[in-house]
Amino acid sequence: MWDPAPLRSVERMLQLTGITKSYGDRRALDDVSFEVRAGRLTGFVGGNGAGKTTAMRIVLGVLGKDAGSITLNGAELTPGDRRHFGYMPEERGLYPKMKVHEHITYLARLHGFSRADAATRARDLLERLGLGERLNDNVEALSLGNQQRAQIAAALVHDPEVLILDEPFSGLDPLAVDVVAGVLHERAEAGVAVLFSSHQLDVVERLCDDLVIIAGGTIRAAGPRDALRRQHSTHRYELVSSGDAGWLRDEPGVEVVEFDGGFALFDADSDDAAQRVLRLAVERGDVASFAPQHPSLAQIFKEVIQ
């Protein structure tokens, strides 16, 4: 069974600082700065043409930068460091005529594994990704979703210390998303720094520890997911009580958004107004729950790119 090897105890951190890239008069990246920490899944989100793929390719050395720096553990990133990176491009890049297991074994061999070790690693990883019955199929015979799984195996087979994935969940059904997500969590738990881009905001919100939002080549928000949700939170609260919550409609500083018997979703114009509602609710009867409502990633995304 595939078992990701734990990395050295040193926590690895990839850091981009002031990255700028232009194509003629068009600035694709403008002073882009963010970090990807070991042991964490960092979601990289933005619309088409926002700069995600350009930033990833610069990290990998495929594209040059006009300004800025990229460091790993505080030292300038080198070609030697990049040999310990795993990369999955948005465009599938496997050889269509090769058998799946043969192909992933070949890639492991390129990273210095013996023939036997490479074959074992490839088989175990492909089985973990749900391709155990397709090992001897040609890549071109796989469905698009299964080709995506094979592409992920190609990025993982050499146990990279930094993993960069461009749209890894594209074309995957919900069950396949769960399988791939499980594999990425295993890698993070083993100490890998994982950066992945995706247009599927619900998937990113569910999986990631940290978020980076980019639009027009500039970073609009970055940080831990829960901290960003708190930072962009409005004064919206949910009240669930055993009595009728209709009295909220008459409270000053309160606007009821949704109401159904003992359930109410409301906006308060201040923390004091919210606490007053809680006190009154307790006085009126049993309060099952009272909690602030934090925005979804989709809501944060719309707010910061405007």
Side-chain angles (χ1 to χ4, degrees):
M1 179 179 178
W2 179 69
D3 183 19
L7 301 178
R8 296 186 298 274
S9 59
V10 175
E11 180 177 322
R12 305 183 72 80
M13 183 175 73
L14 179 71
Q15 189 164 30
L16 287 73
T17 305
I19 300 298
T20 299
K21 176 67 177 178
S22 296
Y23 296 99
D25 295 333
R26 184 177 73 86
R27 181 155 288 189
L29 297 177
D30 187 4
D31 194 27
V32 165
S33 301
F34 65 89
E35 60 189 34
V36 184
R37 290 184 174 275
R40 298 177 70 84
L41 297 177
T42 300
F44 195 21
V45 299
N48 291 329
K52 302 187 302 297
T53 298
T54 298
M56 289 178 165
R57 288 176 175 172
I58 288 174
V59 170
L60 292 158
V62 177
L63 289 176
K65 61 187 185 305
D66 298 333
S69 65
I70 305 173
T71 60
L72 186 66
N73 300 334
E76 192 73 22
L77 190 64
T78 68
D81 292 325
R82 290 187 175 103
R83 284 197 289 270
H84 301 286
F85 283 23
Y87 175 52
M88 195 204 85
E90 185 175 7
E91 307 84 7
R92 294 180 176 89
L94 302 180
Y95 299 119
K97 301 295 183 182
M98 286 187 74
K99 289 180 170 40
V100 177
H101 180 245
E102 177 187 0
H103 199 326
I104 305 305
T105 299
Y106 167 71
L107 295 176
R109 292 277 286 151
L110 290 180
H111 284 279
F113 291 95
S114 69
R115 185 179 302 277
D117 285 347
T120 299
R121 296 176 67 80
R123 178 182 297 276
D124 290 348
L125 180 53
L126 288 166
E127 288 177 348
R128 176 68 181 86
L129 285 164
L131 293 176
E133 296 181 357
R134 311 305 299 272
L135 297 180
N136 294 315
D137 291 357
N138 287 350
V139 170
E140 65 182 357
L142 299 179
S143 67
L144 293 180
N146 282 338
Q147 286 184 32
Q148 188 81 337
R149 298 192 206 202
Q151 191 82 57
I152 292 168
L156 285 168
V157 72
H158 59 294
D159 276 343
E161 298 176 353
V162 176
L163 187 57
I164 298 177
L165 307 171
D166 201 350
E167 296 290 340
F169 303 104
S170 176
L172 298 183
D173 61 41
L175 290 178
V177 168
D178 287 343
V179 169
V180 172
V183 170
L184 296 185
H185 275 298
E186 290 168 0
R187 287 280 71 213
E189 288 171 0
V192 173
V194 181
L195 176 69
F196 70 96
S197 72
S198 179
H199 287 95
Q200 298 163 264
L201 297 183
D202 57 331
V203 174
V204 176
E205 184 166 24
R206 176 163 58 92
L207 298 182
C208 73
D209 302 298
D210 301 314
L211 276 172
V212 178
I213 300 176
I214 188 170
T218 64
I219 301 300
R220 304 300 178 88
R225 177 194 59 193
D226 293 341
L228 288 177
R229 292 183 69 192
R230 289 192 298 270
Q231 177 183 337
H232 292 272
S233 180
T234 60
H235 290 284
R236 178 163 291 184
Y237 297 83
E238 180 185 278
L239 168 67
V240 179
S241 65
S242 58
D244 191 316
W247 57 270
L248 271 173
R249 295 193 180 98
D250 300 323
E251 281 300 308
V254 171
E255 181 180 351
V256 176
V257 177
E258 188 177 341
F259 166 74
D260 183 11
F263 168 83
L265 187 67
F266 68 93
D267 291 334
D269 64 7
S270 67
D271 291 336
D272 288 342
Q275 291 304 312
R276 186 181 71 250
V277 167
L278 177 58
R279 287 195 303 271
L280 291 172
V282 171
E283 291 173 3
R284 288 171 175 269
D286 293 334
V287 175
S289 66
F290 181 87
Q293 298 298 292
H294 296 305
S296 67
L297 173 55
Q299 291 169 321
I300 296 173
F301 181 78
K302 290 177 183 177
E303 177 183 337
V304 301
I305 67 171
Q306 291 177 350

